[in-house]
Amino acid sequence: MSAPPKPAREKTSSPVWQECKLSDLLEIKHGYAFQGEYFSGAGTHVVLTPGNFFEEGGFKDKSDKEKWYDGPVPPDFVLNQGDLIVAMTEQGEGLLGSSAIIPRSGFYLHNQRLGLVQVRDDSKVDKYFLYYLFNSRPVRQQIRGSASGTKVRHTSPSRIAEVKVSVPSLPIQRRIAGILSAYDELIENNQRRIRILEEMARALYREWFVHFRFPGHEKVKLVSSPIGPIPQGWEVKRLKDVCRLTMGQSPKSEFYNDIGKGQPFHQGVSDFGDRFPTNRLFCTAEGRVAEAGDILFSVRAPVGRMNIADKRIIIGRGLSAIRHKDNYQALLWEQLRDRFQKEDMMGNGAIFAAVTKEDMQGIELICPPDPIIRDATSHFVPIHAQIAILSNQTTNLRDTRDLLLPRLLSGETSSLRCQTG
């Protein structure tokens, strides 16, 4: 979850919990059906979709993958900073009912697949408490249970209104929101630091290996190659010549479980994170594996999405694992990340729904002399190590927050004395 603005602190009183329906606390306003002809790669506003939500809740900035709008905008459907929205279509598994707080005013558009939460009485309910309430398991289960549709599930304002909840007094609501938002602020701070580090690594890679302004470049002339001019002494090789490639193969589903038996199993990108996957499924059968540090590369739509295995895992047919033969993983990660900025596109610009082993083996990689690789690696490795530390801290913070969330929202008032570390 991205952290909502921290609510004002108040002295707590004896918690009094009341059973009610969400309709007693709020209304849900439908979004607007923005016209597809005005969707573009750039514009004045961004049309929000369920893809702008994290599964666990929170606002997701999609950066260069946002859906821009360059047409007439009804002013009533321009969102403001602090607005609370909820996903009413399950664009991705687990997104139905997810809520988020809008981070800025006048920029994001209230699309028809989203609901705007409007509090009936600010003296009785806190908006930031509602944010966490929507992201709790009991509320999500009720929203999903009443949804319609098979492949893609939908809910509506009237169905959300019927969800039953238990709500404490306003001071306790604010105390609960304050505890949880403290964790979210730490998580968001780590994520911000990770983005800065990733940008540093990306800038270094492009300076040295795209613009060819590496140390000593003034003395090296450019020569022709299959991918265009490159420094003299550099080579272009195929992935099969410099990497070990493992294509995934899925064991039978009877060997899958979600209770931690066997090794972590990943069929595709559904449990990919920003850099490392989350282990949700496990497999007790032997299979094709990715070792810790291997690059996980999606070979089915979305082709080219990548993560890094942080432990030994079994990979299904939707993934491949890539390991540099000389263990230059840091440079390989940056090179592939730069190459596959746009998903589903291979080097020739063609769009792929899936790629074969031969396609993967044929990926062209630029190969500088070893001294330049070692020099670059000495910069990349510390950056990558710091990202891994911050990512692990973020995972631990999320786990702690997610343990607290149901305890706080179920009325276990002793949990209100918990402090974030």
Side-chain angles (χ1 to χ4, degrees):
M1 301 179 189
S2 58
K6 205 161 188 175
R9 296 193 173 196
E10 289 194 13
K11 292 182 179 180
T12 61
S13 58
S14 299
V16 177
W17 293 75
Q18 295 182 341
E19 303 293 327
C20 63
K21 292 182 179 180
L22 284 180
S23 59
D24 299 322
L25 308 174
L26 56 87
E27 292 180 288
I28 302 288
K29 176 185 173 183
H30 257 305
Y32 181 77
F34 290 94
Q35 300 175 44
E37 62 187 282
Y38 295 111
F39 291 163
S40 65
T44 57
H45 295 80
V46 168
V47 179
L48 294 183
T49 72
N52 287 102
F53 294 74
F54 286 106
E55 180 183 340
E56 71 271 19
F59 187 86
K60 185 176 185 179
D61 184 349
K62 296 169 64 179
S63 302
D64 57 343
K65 298 174 186 176
E66 297 286 15
K67 183 177 287 188
W68 289 88
Y69 193 76
D70 199 23
V73 176
D76 288 346
F77 294 93
V78 180
L79 294 164
N80 294 311
Q81 182 177 354
D83 281 347
L84 176 60
I85 56 175
V86 59
M88 297 197 299
T89 296
E90 194 168 42
Q91 183 171 305
E93 186 177 356
L95 287 178
L96 189 66
S98 177
S99 70
I101 300 288
I102 299 300
R104 60 184 282 194
S105 293
F107 183 67
Y108 295 107
L109 300 181
H110 180 197
N111 192 17
Q112 62 181 342
R113 293 183 287 173
L114 309 178
L116 175 63
V117 177
Q118 298 176 315
V119 174
R120 291 189 183 277
D121 186 347
D122 289 333
S123 68
K124 294 182 179 178
V125 64
D126 180 74
K127 179 168 56 178
Y128 301 105
F129 174 81
L130 289 176
Y131 165 75
Y132 290 107
L133 193 63
F134 269 106
N135 295 322
S136 66
R137 183 181 294 272
V139 169
R140 290 288 194 88
Q141 286 176 336
Q142 290 182 70
I143 291 175
R144 182 169 179 80
S146 66
S148 61
T150 51
K151 281 191 175 182
V152 179
R153 300 183 67 79
H154 308 270
T155 189
S156 65
S158 61
R159 290 186 177 126
I160 293 175
E162 293 300 310
V163 170
K164 296 178 180 178
V165 294
S166 181
V167 179
S169 62
L170 185 63
I172 295 299
Q173 292 178 39
R174 289 177 173 164
R175 177 65 176 139
I176 289 171
I179 291 171
L180 295 171
S181 66
Y183 283 94
D184 281 338
E185 286 177 4
L186 292 171
I187 290 168
E188 189 171 328
N189 183 56
N190 277 358
Q191 291 173 328
R192 186 163 45 248
R193 294 170 64 188
I194 288 171
R195 287 193 294 270
I196 292 170
L197 289 166
E198 287 180 333
E199 187 52 43
M200 288 171 56
R202 183 182 291 109
L204 175 64
Y205 174 81
R206 295 192 64 81
E207 182 74 3
W208 285 29
F209 301 103
V210 176
H211 303 301
F212 303 127
R213 292 193 287 261
F214 52 91
H217 69 92
E218 304 90 345
K219 301 177 183 178
V220 182
K221 67 178 182 178
L222 298 180
V223 297
S224 61
S225 81
I227 62 171
I230 62 173
Q232 189 174 40
W234 294 33
E235 298 179 88
V236 175
K237 296 182 179 180
R238 297 189 182 277
L239 185 139
K240 67 178 181 180
D241 299 320
V242 295
C243 298
R244 292 190 293 273
L245 174 68
T246 302
M247 301 295 286
Q249 188 174 36
S250 303
K252 292 181 179 180
S253 60
E254 63 195 72
F255 297 109
Y256 304 168
N257 69 89
D258 60 2
I259 58 174
K261 287 187 176 180
Q263 297 183 86
F265 170 68
H266 291 268
Q267 180 77 271
V269 303
S270 59
D271 291 310
F272 271 21
D274 292 333
R275 195 178 189 91
F276 303 101
T278 299
N279 299 317
R280 180 177 56 87
L281 280 180
F282 296 81
C283 183
T284 55
E286 293 297 322
R288 296 184 182 176
V289 300
E291 300 291 349
D294 282 359
I295 295 170
L296 305 174
F297 187 102
S298 174
V299 296
R300 294 186 173 185
V303 170
R305 186 175 296 182
M306 293 185 293
N307 260 201
I308 299 173
D310 57 355
K311 61 183 64 176
R312 193 172 196 262
I313 65 171
I314 298 174
I315 54 173
R317 62 175 59 94
L319 298 177
S320 63
I322 308 172
R323 166 72 64 170
H324 197 284
K325 291 179 181 178
D326 294 320
N327 208 32
Y328 293 140
Q329 287 296 96
L331 176 60
L332 179 62
W333 168 262
E334 295 298 337
Q335 186 165 178
L336 290 174
R337 189 170 69 137
D338 185 74
R339 175 74 62 86
F340 294 97
Q341 294 182 50
K342 292 186 177 180
E343 294 173 350
D344 298 329
M345 297 185 72
M346 297 296 279
N348 60 3
I351 297 176
F352 286 75
V355 292
T356 64
K357 183 176 182 178
E358 290 70 30
D359 294 326
M360 292 294 298
Q361 290 176 329
I363 293 173
E364 292 177 322
L365 299 173
I366 193 167
C367 299
D370 278 358
I372 292 177
I373 296 178
R374 288 194 292 269
D375 194 2
T377 298
S378 71
H379 295 285
F380 288 137
V381 167
I383 293 174
H384 290 187
Q386 185 61 31
I387 290 173
I389 291 170
L390 290 169
S391 297
N392 186 58
Q393 290 176 355
T394 300
T395 298
N396 291 337
L397 286 166
R398 280 198 180 107
D399 289 345
T400 304
R401 179 203 63 197
D402 293 345
L403 283 172
L404 273 175
L405 180 63
R407 294 177 62 193
L408 291 169
L409 295 180
S410 66
E412 294 183 24
T413 54
S414 61
S415 298
L416 298 179
R417 293 192 292 271
C418 294
Q419 299 293 322
T420 57

